[in-house]
Amino acid sequence: EKDDTSFSFEKILPIWLAKIKTNAFSIANGETVAIGIGLYPAPAYYANHSCSPNVIQTFEYGAGKVPSLRLTKCCSAISIGDELCVSYIDVSLPRNLRQERLK
């Protein structure tokens, strides 16, 4: 009989999949085509979602390197004390599709 506190792949997998779904960012190439996903510790701590973001995600590439996420491009004026917001989804989608994907 298994102990409820023992490691169980069936218990851990849904938790990790939820963490990835919640905290992963799409990695895009120079033409903004998604080429994968990345889990980065920093953005999740200080950037929330907005369909009108004031910061966009950019990536730094290098031969043989994993793309590193940078939040260096401002889309609108940001004042001291303003919250930094990125879009978790494609802002060019119609509103009803954005709302559905954010559920």
Side-chain angles (χ1 to χ4, degrees), residues 10-99:
E10 292 80 17
K11 288 180 185 177
I12 299 297
L13 182 61
I15 294 168
W16 280 103
L17 290 176
K19 288 180 184 286
I20 291 169
K21 184 179 178 183
T22 303
N23 297 304
F25 287 87
S26 291
I27 298 173
N29 65 14
E31 287 80 41
T32 67
V33 174
I35 59 172
I37 62 168
L39 290 173
Y40 301 93
Y45 297 123
Y46 59 79
N48 284 318
H49 168 75
S50 173
C51 284
S52 299
N54 56 11
V55 177
I56 60 170
Q57 306 160 42
T58 61
F59 298 89
E60 186 173 290
Y61 295 93
K65 293 183 178 180
V66 174
S68 60
L69 178 65
R70 300 193 178 265
L71 296 174
T72 56
K73 296 191 178 184
C74 299
C75 305
S76 62
I78 301 173
S79 299
I80 293 173
D82 284 354
E83 179 178 36
L84 298 180
C85 295
V86 296
S87 179
Y88 294 166
I89 56 168
D90 182 350
V91 295
S92 67
L93 293 172
R95 184 175 187 219
N96 62 324
L97 288 177
R98 292 193 317 258
Q99 288 177 333

